Each structure stands twice: as C-alpha cells, then as structure tokens.
Amino acid sequence: VKSGSRLSKVSEIYILLAELELSVNKDPHKALEALDKAKKMGCTQMAYYYTRRAEAHWQMGEYQKALQCFESSVAAEPCAFYRSNLAFALSEMDDERAVSLWKEVLEEEPENGLAHTYLGFEAAKSADRDKALLMAKRADKSASLARDFVAVGRLYHELGEFQTVVERYLEAMKLGYDQGWLCAGIADCYLSMGQVALARKYLKRALKYSPDDEYVKEIQRDYEEKSAK
C-alpha cells in the first residue's frame, strides 16, 4: 500500500509539471511527456489527467484529440467543472451539443457564470440580443475570477457594449490575466468608440507585453488604418 501511495504522489508531481509546461512554458509536447509518466506511475486523478491532456492537444491544434480527452474527463468525473471544459471545446465545433451541456451545468450550478456567458454567445449567434444581454448580466453577478471577467467581456464585445468590455477587462487585469491580450482588447474597444488617444495608450502597453502576439498585431494594423483617416 505504501508503494502504491508513493507512486500516486509521484504521478501527481508529473501532472503538476505538465500544468507548468502548459501555462508557463507553453510547451504542450513536454506536457504530454510528463502526463505519460504520470499515467505510468499510477495516476488516480483521471479526470484532471485527461483535462491537462486535452489542453496540451488544444495548444497543438489537435482539436479532435482534445475533444476526446475532454470527453474522457467527463466520463471519469461527470461534474459541472469537467462538463464546462467539454462544453467550451464543443462551442467551437458543435453548437447544439454545447448548449445542451451548458444547460446541464446550470442545473447543477445555477449561478455558473461561464455557462450563462456561453449560452449568451449562442443567443448572440441566433441574433437574440435581448437574451444574450440577459445572460451577460447573469454572468456578471457571479464573476470573480480573471477568466470570468474575460469571458463575459468577450460576450459584451459581441454585443457592441464596448465601455462595459473595458471595465471587465480592467477587472481581469487586476487579477493577473495576460496583460498583452487584455490591453489589445481594450485598445480595440476604444478604437470602436472613436477614442483614438486611449486606443494608442493601451496599444503601446500591449506591444510592450506581447509584441509578437498575432492578436496584438491585428489591433495595431486596425489602429494604423483608423488613425490614418
């Protein structure tokens, strides 16, 4: 029993190493290597293991493999957290099934902000602005993490509520979310509102933090086009 317990603890270390490779080093290949070792060491947290594996495949652009891993995580532990991850992935591929999963999440956690946010996106796709705005307001009430503010900010952006987007992105910034991406998003909003000076201020920050990011470059091109007019 002691040997099994020790192996399990070692496997947990490899999973944490994989998470570090994904979040800090952005190296999904090394993350997968660490996860393979975790499994050999008798990993018992299979839902968490499959989630990290899915994230690695997603970073590599292997979306079908990622989807299969998210499916496996839900099969291992069918709770709202893992259903949310699967629903998020499906939102890029299968709208109908994604909506069904987000509704299941809300049945388990009625205040789940991400579920409200992504149901809002689905409503926006269907041109139901009133419902999308209602979902955004519900998501706002439960937002507490950086990713919550980013997600609901993106929904408000879809609805053209640019000042509200700026406010939500600034909240996410306080909580440590990617500075370059957020500053670019804020610059984009100010451009949309015709406030070029403020757009320039945040674009400079975005270029400082993430000069090679494609999204930052895209906003820079938009700024140059609009400021030249």
Side-chain angles (χ1 to χ4, degrees):
V1 175
K2 288 182 179 179
S3 176
S5 176
R6 187 160 52 248
L7 286 173
S8 179
K9 288 181 179 178
V10 172
S11 75
E12 291 175 13
I13 292 173
Y14 277 117
I15 290 180
L16 289 174
L17 178 60
E19 188 171 338
L20 180 69
E21 294 291 356
L22 289 168
S23 61
V24 178
N25 298 330
K26 308 296 183 185
D27 193 332
H29 297 283
K30 286 187 177 179
L32 288 174
E33 289 175 7
L35 289 166
D36 287 340
K37 291 176 181 177
K39 191 172 184 180
K40 288 179 182 178
M41 291 293 177
C43 175
T44 57
Q45 301 177 24
M46 295 310 294
Y48 190 67
Y49 162 84
Y50 281 119
T51 297
R52 298 285 83 82
R53 198 167 191 89
E55 290 172 354
H57 286 301
W58 196 272
Q59 281 191 17
M60 295 164 67
E62 298 175 349
Y63 301 120
Q64 286 302 324
K65 287 184 179 179
L67 192 59
Q68 290 169 6
C69 288
F70 280 130
E71 295 270 15
S72 296
S73 71
V74 172
E77 191 173 337
C79 66
F81 176 78
Y82 295 112
R83 281 198 182 100
S84 294
N85 290 332
L86 175 58
F88 175 80
L90 284 168
S91 294
E92 305 292 326
M93 307 175 190
D94 187 340
D95 287 347
E96 187 174 341
R97 191 165 171 227
V99 168
S100 177
L101 272 169
W102 284 124
K103 288 179 178 178
E104 287 180 22
V105 170
L106 283 179
E107 286 177 7
E108 186 175 338
E109 295 182 356
E111 302 302 317
N112 189 295
L114 284 178
H116 286 300
T117 298
Y118 283 96
L119 285 174
F121 275 117
E122 297 302 330
K125 287 180 185 178
S126 303
D128 190 341
R129 178 183 168 81
D130 289 342
K131 183 176 180 180
L133 196 56
L134 175 63
M135 292 294 106
K137 290 178 179 178
R138 287 179 178 174
D140 250 342
K141 291 181 181 178
S142 59
S144 60
L145 302 175
R147 70 171 189 175
D148 300 334
F149 288 110
V150 171
V152 75
R154 288 179 58 234
L155 176 55
Y156 278 121
H157 190 282
E158 185 76 15
L159 298 171
E161 301 287 334
F162 300 117
Q163 185 57 50
T164 305
V165 178
V166 170
E167 293 166 5
R168 298 303 173 270
Y169 283 1
L170 288 173
E171 288 294 330
M173 197 177 292
K174 291 177 188 175
L175 296 170
Y177 199 84
D178 186 305
Q179 295 275 331
W181 190 94
L182 286 173
C183 287
I186 292 171
D188 180 34
C189 289
Y190 280 127
L191 280 175
S192 297
M193 292 188 287
Q195 299 183 40
V196 178
L198 283 171
R200 180 170 60 251
K201 172 184 174 181
Y202 281 96
L203 177 59
K204 284 182 178 179
R205 291 187 187 180
L207 288 166
K208 175 184 175 182
Y209 289 112
S210 305
D212 299 321
D213 185 88
E214 288 302 318
Y215 178 58
V216 174
K217 290 179 181 178
E218 178 186 337
I219 301 305
Q220 183 180 23
R221 288 192 293 270
D222 288 348
Y223 167 79
E224 290 170 351
E225 288 178 8
K226 291 181 179 179
S227 61
K229 293 179 181 179

